[in-house]
Amino acid sequence: MKVVRQMLERYYTIKENGQSELEIKKSRFICSLKRVETEEEAKQFIQETKKEHWKANHNCSAFVIGEKNEIQRSSDDGEPSGTAGVPMLEVIKKNELINVAAVVTRYFGGIKLGAGGLIRAYAHSVSHALQEIGIVEGTLQQELSIHLAYPQLGKIENFLELQQVNVKEILYTDKVIVVCMVNEKEITAFQESIIELLSGQVNFTEGAVSYYEQLVQPKD
């Protein structure tokens, strides 16, 4: 994942770009989410959404940029101060997401919500979108190829399934090569476990270090 430049051990972000819609007291709330790498990209996304929904009453926004959310911005876009952008931002931060921009578009339905109602509506729009689109945890992993004899395959497959190790592929040559992804900090202990399991009849080849993303539950 390009957005993480200093190889964090793990991060959380949205699974993919997308949007969801809610109707709250006859107002339409459309939340659009996007992965972004820079503040400029986030601002461009906000402007594009405003252009798309130019007839809407409000296009409120919030985004976080950086490994530790060094850049945080929010906008109420005409809603009463503190009732839209900040609640949206708080949902993003509560879920510990990095490099995410959110825009909640509101088409007013004629019923005023009041300050408390607006805060709940904008926060719920973002949390609902996160439920719909999904959150992933990216974990820094080492590609590891396990070279073994064919009779050992069943034993290693059972072990990897029990340990919930991500198997990338299995190659069948004169030997079997099981290519899996292992958390980088656990690589030594993992290899030692395999050596013990197969009584030393195994060889390893280490590949690239990359991020493996897995769905996790959003925080309510």
Side-chain angles (χ1 to χ4, degrees):
M1 179 180 173
K2 291 192 298 182
V3 295
V4 185
R5 296 184 175 85
Q6 296 181 10
M7 304 301 275
L8 291 171
E9 184 180 344
R10 66 182 65 246
Y11 61 84
Y12 298 93
T13 193
I14 55 174
K15 178 186 175 185
E16 59 193 358
N17 303 336
Q19 65 177 212
S20 70
E21 182 173 340
L22 291 171
E23 183 176 312
I24 301 173
K25 292 188 177 179
K26 297 188 177 181
S27 282
R28 290 174 62 203
F29 289 85
I30 304 168
C31 180
S32 303
L33 297 176
K34 184 176 181 178
R35 289 194 187 197
V36 290
E37 297 184 20
T38 64
E39 185 170 2
E40 290 71 27
E41 189 177 351
K43 289 178 177 178
Q44 182 179 354
F45 168 62
I46 294 166
Q47 291 304 314
E48 288 171 353
T49 306
K50 284 184 173 183
K51 186 176 180 181
E52 179 184 355
H53 294 284
W54 62 274
K55 289 185 178 180
N57 299 86
H58 308 279
N59 285 285
C60 305
S61 59
F63 60 86
V64 291
I65 304 290
E67 295 171 3
K68 296 181 180 179
N69 293 344
E70 294 89 346
I71 299 173
Q72 302 180 20
R73 302 283 186 269
S74 65
S75 168
D76 297 312
D77 193 43
E79 292 282 29
S81 179
T83 63
V86 170
M88 291 167 59
L89 185 64
E90 288 304 311
V91 174
I92 296 172
K93 290 165 62 178
K94 182 179 180 181
N95 283 277
E96 302 177 52
L97 306 182
I98 67 168
N99 300 334
V100 173
V103 179
V104 174
T105 301
R106 182 189 184 192
Y107 288 90
F108 183 55
I111 300 175
K112 293 184 177 181
L113 301 181
L118 288 171
I119 290 169
R120 288 189 294 273
Y122 280 98
H124 184 50
S125 294
V126 177
S127 60
H128 179 262
L130 293 176
Q131 289 280 356
E132 292 281 309
I133 293 166
I135 291 175
V136 290
E137 177 185 19
T139 308
L140 191 61
Q141 295 194 330
Q142 171 79 58
E143 183 179 287
L144 183 70
S145 296
I146 307 169
H147 302 253
L148 62 151
Y150 277 83
Q152 298 170 314
L153 181 58
K155 187 180 287 187
I156 195 71
E157 284 182 320
N158 289 337
F159 175 81
L160 296 176
E161 185 176 351
L162 283 171
Q163 298 297 317
Q164 297 183 317
V165 174
N166 175 34
V167 177
K168 187 175 179 181
E169 61 180 337
I170 300 177
L171 305 173
Y172 300 94
T173 61
D174 56 326
K175 285 192 171 185
V176 183
I177 304 172
V178 180
V179 184
C180 54
M181 304 299 294
V182 183
N183 290 352
E184 192 182 34
K185 288 192 173 183
E186 300 169 7
I187 194 77
T188 300
F190 179 76
Q191 287 178 317
E192 290 172 353
S193 297
I194 297 293
I195 290 168
E196 182 178 351
L197 178 72
L198 302 180
S199 303
Q201 303 301 305
V202 62
N203 291 304
F204 303 100
T205 304
E206 293 186 2
V209 174
S210 60
Y211 285 101
Y212 172 66
E213 294 187 348
Q214 193 168 18
L215 276 171
V216 296
Q217 286 296 316
K219 297 178 182 177
D220 294 331

